[in-house]
Amino acid sequence: MRTVELLLDEAAESAVREAWRRLADAGLPSQARHRSPTNSPHLTLAACPELTAPIRWELAEAAAALPLPVRFAGLIRFERPTSVLAWSLALDAALADLHRKVWDAVTSDYRPETLNPFHAPSGWSPHVTLGRTRRPGAFTSRRIPGILPPPPLSARLTTLRSFDTETGTLEILTARA
């Protein structure tokens, strides 16, 4: 499986890593526990089995929109198959447009119903994961907001990348020259 993700500017990445550290120091599930060199704060836009040539062509157009300013909107929790604690991002027109371009790119070669429904424009909730676990309700403690630093007021999404979940490799996806 190949993800399509956006990386944050340095200041926002540092803030997310600080949140990861504080969760880990408090004994809570945290992305800081993932020691892979490929683990970095990011916003996932989509995932598909492979990045085909047509998909890559369209992703290069999407990458031309970067850097993209965004606003953090606060702390959110998801109970999907896993419990997730994250900082949400405000879904403004520019971010929605970029996400739509990426979704259209991956659905140019894959039927939407075969892809993760949480990435479809109708179900996508832009967020940067702080912690994840299979333990239901892991992030319901009222003390969690007091543990975390406030999210940055604003940030920039700077880089489009893809992560190959089978090989563990990263690929930076650039705009067409």
Side-chain angles (χ1 to χ4, degrees), residues 123-175:
W124 186 61
S125 180
H127 65 278
V128 176
T129 299
L130 303 176
R132 171 189 320 269
T133 182
R134 294 194 183 276
R135 196 175 76 236
F139 298 110
T140 58
S141 171
R142 293 177 191 226
R143 70 185 181 108
I144 289 175
I147 292 169
L148 295 172
L153 295 176
S154 63
R156 292 179 340 137
L157 300 170
T158 61
T159 306
L160 189 67
R161 77 173 186 182
S162 178
F163 178 68
D164 185 324
T165 61
E166 291 180 24
T167 65
T169 57
L170 288 174
E171 176 184 359
I172 302 299
L173 304 169
T174 58

Side-chain angles (χ1 to χ4, degrees), residues 6 8 13 25 32-33 36 52 55 60 63 66 69-70 75 80 88 119 124 127 129 160 176:
L6 288 166
L8 302 164
E13 178 178 336
D25 289 351
R33 298 187 196 287
S36 168
T52 62
I55 292 172
L66 300 176
V70 292
L75 192 62
R80 294 179 175 171
S88 66
H119 296 152
W124 186 61
H127 65 278
T129 299
L160 189 67
R176 288 190 291 268

Side-chain angles (χ1 to χ4, degrees), residues 37-150:
T38 62
N39 182 38
S40 60
H42 65 274
L43 169 64
T44 302
L45 300 170
C48 59
E50 185 55 49
L51 297 182
T52 62
I55 292 172
R56 287 173 180 282
W57 180 259
E58 291 185 45
L59 289 178
E61 182 180 322
L66 300 176
L68 182 70
V70 292
R71 287 182 307 105
F72 281 86
L75 192 62
I76 57 171
R77 296 173 181 91
F78 299 107
E79 292 293 333
R80 294 179 175 171
T82 58
S83 293
V84 175
L85 181 70
W87 279 337
S88 66
L89 295 173
L91 185 57
D92 62 14
L95 183 55
D97 183 57
L98 178 58
H99 178 253
R100 170 55 79 179
K101 285 178 182 174
V102 169
W103 181 254
D104 288 349
V106 298
T107 58
S108 69
D109 265 1
Y110 298 102
R111 293 188 331 269
E113 62 272 13
T114 66
L115 303 175
N116 185 330
F118 293 127
H119 296 152
S122 62
W124 186 61
S125 180
H127 65 278
V128 176
T129 299
L130 303 176
R132 171 189 320 269
T133 182
R134 294 194 183 276
R135 196 175 76 236
F139 298 110
T140 58
S141 171
R142 293 177 191 226
R143 70 185 181 108
I144 289 175
I147 292 169
L148 295 172

